[in-house]
Amino acid sequence: MVSYKSETASGASDGDDTESGVGMTFFRTICRWIDTLNKWVGRGVSWVTFLVVLVVFVDVVMRYAFNISFVFVQELEWHLFAFIFLMGAGNTLLKDGHVRVDIIYQRLGPRGQAWINLLGVLLFLIPGCYLIIVTSSKFTITAFQTMEGSPDPGGIPYRYIIKSTIPIGFILILLQGISMGIKSFFTIIGKDLGLETQKEGKITEEDGVPATDTDTLKPKLDDREER
Amino acid sequence: MEYLPAWMFLALTILLMAGFPVTFTLLGTSLCFGLIGFGWGFFNLLPLRIWGVMTNVTLLAVPLFVFMGVMLERSGLAEELLDTMGLLFGRVRGGLAVSVVVVGALLGASTGIVGATVVTMGLLAVPTMLKRGYQKELATGTVSASGTLGQIIPPSIVLVLIGDIVGVSVGDLFMGAVFPGFVLVGLYILYILGISLLKPEWAPPIPRAELAEFTGWTLFLRVMRALFPPLFLMVAVLGSIFFGVASPTEAAAVGAVGATILTIANRKFSLRILQDVMDSTMQLTCMVFIILVGAAAFGLVFRGLGGDELVREFLGGIAENHSKWVVLAIVMGIIFVIGFFLDFIEITFIHVPVLAPIMLEFGFDPAWFCILIAVNLQTSFMTPPFGFSLFYLKAVTPPEISTGDIYRGIIPFVLVQLIGLLIVVFFPVLVTWLPEVVFGR
């Protein structure tokens, strides 16, 4: 995965941050705080994918083996699904896992990529997240005011909680976008924020199993020099 | 004002090329044009659209199939299959390449994640074929094309998404995709056998001496042992969908558990593998559905501005002057061309929702149209410069294979895909027959 974070080192910077100490320390702290938040949220959410497999499986087994089924369980299935894709999105942005049309992007150097990311954050990501956070907060608050639950008897009575994952999820994305913008800015001005890359230790050939990178649908390769 | 949606589409297309994540580009563009056209209040409809995605139980099949696919990839199934099929088909000229196609089809029928399949086969099969003296282009083309078979062979994630958008039952689509999938596999194999006859030096057979130790029972047992796991999963997942026992979502969960059990049985399972599979599943799920949120905003504004009407007028005009088949050709041509630049998720979420309802109004069979799109989108994985399958292969093949080799290698397979697409166009019965027989409609 070509990430702007890992490439800052190869940019103009040589990590000399004494001259603008306070500002950089401040921004570094913010980025680190946001990255850590989304890292841990992501780790939690990843377990929910396993949970949803088990819940649907148990539901199937109960239905066909014992002929029983609970509205509660069926609602839980899509509650968990919604939870995964909304709450995990910030983490996905942290790992640069959202699809890009990188026909041009992948040919740019770290600085060019940083420009795209900074402008994208300012023009698209922040306004877009703001739009969803504001409109969905209204939507959620209405649900909270009526303490909305499932309309079906035996359903989950906390519909207002699952609705609130829309604004919360997009707040996580917004925060991660801000972190991305800050990092891009420092890449552009040629300063290294000194943040460790977020690429996690992937399982590689060590088990004789080829690694499927997290982004199974999203290839990143380093052949841009070649073409 | 009348052409505002057209401007919006143009702006989006250009902005997407800049390479910022698609979903935010969609959101930003929609916000801008929505404010021009309607003002802020219009967007209060947006949370309802997102809510529609959240409560959609069919879409829940996607993370489950992803989990199943990624887990299966870790079970060591592909390696075993490649080894064994190589022994089985190795006797024939071009046999190694044929075995890659067969393994691609089997993996497609049990997992269907293109990236994982291409990576595995690229790592294992390409070096083997080169060692045996295969021509580079033939070796790489076979692998990158076969890796995409999972897109069309059910259970396939793209069929779940298209079915949901066009409004066709996913079970019907899975069933309708079976024969078109066979046709493509058959065409690939025909091409390989044909080219090995014409250019024997491109695809030498494995020397008999090497195969001699695997004959009769030994070979039979090995084949059975390698084939059992994928066939078992296929029967469990597809069988339960086709016989109406389980919905695709339920079958996907069964498949995910089955894949986990296989991984445990092969002694490949560990907490780290599980964590890795869960991470991949989460990221892929977020990637797909956050784009769907962005596309929902885009669709809302585009439709609100009358974009649908504009497209309908345009295509309707062509249909009146010529025929609906010309429109079909244009639509397929458009999807094929955008496939060079965008990948299936964007096309499925941005273009299909606009085009599909209009095409159905012309009286085309919905399931058949969905399968045509799916075959077309499968091709988009192979078309340079932005073909996922090619990227993956480049990333894992030895350095002596250049990007040029990979591009040249895929050309015949893209042509084969187009032939396959034409066959499905002219023989809709390939799609409609099986669902009719099984569901009795």
Side-chain angles (χ1 to χ4, degrees):
Chain A
M1 194 185 295
V2 178
S3 98
Y4 48 90
K5 287 153 256 163
S6 57
E7 283 181 16
T8 47
S10 60
S13 163
D14 30 13
D16 179 18
D17 55 347
T18 42
E19 43 185 300
S20 57
V22 181
M24 278 192 64
T25 315
F26 173 71
F27 285 119
R28 186 186 299 129
T29 313
I30 290 184
C31 286
R32 190 167 287 158
W33 189 80
I34 293 173
D35 291 1
T36 311
L37 173 72
N38 267 322
K39 192 174 137 193
W40 285 104
V41 170
R43 187 154 299 176
V45 174
S46 74
W47 280 95
V48 181
T49 63
F50 190 48
L51 185 64
V52 80
V53 168
L54 293 179
V55 170
V56 180
F57 181 73
V58 168
D59 181 28
V60 176
V61 171
M62 283 198 309
R63 175 135 13 112
Y64 293 106
F66 307 106
N67 224 349
I68 41 173
S69 115
F70 299 100
V71 179
F72 178 83
V73 176
Q74 277 164 12
E75 288 195 352
L76 184 62
E77 292 168 6
W78 62 255
H79 274 62
L80 293 176
F81 163 63
F83 184 83
I84 293 169
F85 82 80
L86 286 165
M87 300 298 282
N91 180 279
T92 307
L93 185 62
L94 169 69
K95 306 234 179 92
D96 199 13
H98 287 293
V99 180
R100 298 169 183 272
V101 180
D102 46 10
I103 193 163
I104 295 168
Y105 182 81
Q106 64 166 356
R107 287 175 171 74
L108 298 174
R111 225 179 241 204
Q113 295 189 341
W115 268 112
I116 298 232
N117 285 331
L118 181 62
L119 289 176
V121 166
L122 293 175
L123 297 176
F124 300 142
L125 192 146
I126 293 177
C129 288
Y130 176 76
L131 169 72
I132 294 190
I133 293 166
V134 170
T135 51
S136 68
S137 294
K138 229 184 273 175
F139 181 69
T140 308
I141 288 167
T142 319
F144 262 95
Q145 280 164 346
T146 55
M147 296 300 259
E148 188 186 350
S150 168
D152 296 312
I156 297 176
Y158 308 112
R159 193 147 284 189
Y160 53 95
I161 291 181
I162 194 67
K163 281 189 174 177
S164 66
T165 55
I166 309 177
I168 295 173
F170 274 84
I171 287 170
L172 288 172
I173 299 177
L174 179 66
L175 287 173
Q176 196 57 53
I178 290 170
S179 162
M180 184 180 184
I182 294 173
K183 288 175 201 159
S184 307
F185 176 74
F186 280 100
T187 305
I188 290 169
I189 62 167
K191 292 253 187 290
D192 188 2
L193 268 188
L195 290 163
E196 74 278 24
T197 58
Q198 287 298 326
K199 224 160 115 180
E200 290 192 348
K202 290 290 168 228
I203 293 163
T204 39
E205 270 87 316
E206 70 206 42
D207 315 277
V209 184
T212 352
D213 213 326
T214 49
D215 31 11
T216 324
L217 289 168
K218 188 81 193 105
K220 299 279 156 125
L221 69 168
D222 303 300
D223 70 337
R224 59 170 171 264
E225 308 85 20
E226 195 184 303
R227 282 187 272 162
Chain B
M1 267 318 254
E2 195 193 337
Y3 289 106
L4 203 56
W7 288 116
M8 180 182 180
F9 212 90
L10 188 69
L12 176 77
T13 309
I14 293 168
L15 292 171
L16 277 180
M17 290 297 152
F20 197 67
V22 170
T23 180
F24 306 116
T25 312
L26 279 165
L27 277 177
T29 319
S30 323
L31 176 60
C32 173
F33 281 87
L35 288 181
I36 296 174
F38 307 101
W40 187 267
F42 178 73
F43 286 105
N44 285 330
L45 291 167
L46 188 56
L48 283 172
R49 293 302 171 92
I50 302 175
W51 181 244
V53 178
M54 294 164 74
T55 53
N56 188 322
V57 180
T58 310
L59 293 179
L60 169 59
V62 173
L64 300 173
F65 276 129
V66 171
F67 190 101
M68 172 182 171
V70 182
M71 184 57 97
L72 211 52
E73 213 49 49
R74 296 297 154 84
S75 69
L77 172 105
E79 290 82 351
E80 184 68 31
L81 272 177
L82 272 172
D83 276 358
T84 318
M85 293 297 129
L87 289 173
L88 192 60
F89 294 103
R91 286 140 222 273
V92 194
R93 203 166 264 290
L96 268 182
V98 172
S99 72
V100 168
V101 176
V102 173
V103 173
L106 283 170
L107 289 179
S110 35
T111 79
I113 295 181
V114 172
T117 313
V118 173
V119 166
T120 315
M121 299 209 298
L123 279 171
L124 299 167
V126 172
T128 315
M129 284 198 275
L130 293 181
K131 206 171 70 196
R132 302 284 181 198
Y134 269 64
Q135 189 218 26
K136 282 181 198 168
E137 282 87 343
L138 182 60
T140 56
T142 309
V143 169
S144 34
S146 308
T148 66
L149 283 169
Q151 282 283 303
I152 184 76
I153 296 179
S156 128
I157 290 163
V158 69
L159 288 177
V160 176
L161 298 175
I162 295 180
D164 184 64
I165 283 169
V166 181
V168 184
S169 111
V170 175
D172 277 15
L173 275 191
F174 277 9
M175 212 173 284
V178 170
F179 283 111
F182 279 146
V183 167
L184 287 173
V185 173
L187 288 173
Y188 285 5
I189 293 179
L190 270 181
Y191 165 72
I192 291 167
L193 293 180
I195 203 78
S196 354
L197 269 181
L198 292 173
K199 306 259 181 193
E201 70 279 9
W202 284 10
I206 299 180
R208 284 191 188 275
E210 264 181 69
L211 293 168
E213 54 182 302
F214 294 104
T215 42
W217 272 106
T218 343
L219 181 63
F220 179 75
L221 285 177
R222 253 200 96 162
V223 171
M224 286 302 115
R225 209 181 55 208
L227 275 180
F228 178 73
L231 288 181
F232 175 76
L233 274 181
M234 263 164 66
V235 171
V237 174
L238 290 181
S240 56
I241 299 172
F242 288 179
F243 292 102
V245 178
S247 71
T249 306
E250 293 170 339
V254 174
V257 172
T260 314
I261 292 171
L262 267 182
T263 313
I264 296 172
N266 280 352
R267 299 202 182 80
K268 301 266 186 186
F269 189 82
S270 69
L271 199 61
R272 207 166 148 211
I273 296 264
L274 179 65
Q275 182 67 57
D276 212 46
V277 171
M278 294 188 312
D279 269 351
S280 301
T281 309
M282 178 188 75
Q283 298 221 5
L284 278 170
T285 308
C286 292
M287 180 193 93
V288 170
F289 292 106
I290 291 298
I291 293 194
L292 190 48
V293 170
F298 181 80
L300 195 66
V301 176
F302 186 75
R303 229 151 269 149
L305 291 174
D308 269 8
E309 281 311 308
L310 210 61
V311 178
R312 181 172 288 124
E313 251 170 55
F314 176 70
L315 291 180
I318 296 172
E320 249 170 55
N321 293 334
H322 305 278
S323 83
K324 64 175 187 176
W325 296 97
V326 177
V327 178
L328 182 73
I330 292 175
V331 166
M332 285 296 138
I334 291 175
I335 294 181
F336 180 74
V337 172
I338 3 181
F340 280 76
F341 306 101
L342 302 187
D343 73 276
F344 81 94
I345 304 175
E346 287 101 288
I347 301 176
T348 309
F349 289 156
I350 301 173
H351 302 89
V352 174
V354 176
L355 294 171
I358 301 167
M359 297 307 283
L360 300 192
E361 278 170 27
F362 289 150
F364 291 115
D365 180 77
W368 173 75
F369 182 66
C370 289
I371 301 292
L372 288 184
I373 296 176
V375 175
N376 208 330
L377 290 182
Q378 185 207 342
T379 318
S380 80
F381 276 83
M382 308 181 194
T383 43
F386 195 69
F388 277 125
S389 191
L390 310 177
F391 279 154
Y392 279 121
L393 192 63
K394 176 64 193 135
V396 296
T397 44
E400 70 253 31
I401 290 186
S402 70
T403 309
D405 292 332
I406 294 181
Y407 284 2
R408 277 192 300 279
I410 200 66
I411 294 170
F413 287 94
V414 173
L415 295 178
V416 166
Q417 282 294 124
L418 291 178
I419 295 171
L421 187 64
L422 282 179
I423 292 180
V424 182
V425 169
F426 289 114
F427 301 97
V429 67
L430 285 169
V431 175
T432 49
W433 183 75
L434 194 59
E436 268 169 22
V437 171
V438 177
F439 294 135
R441 281 176 212 149

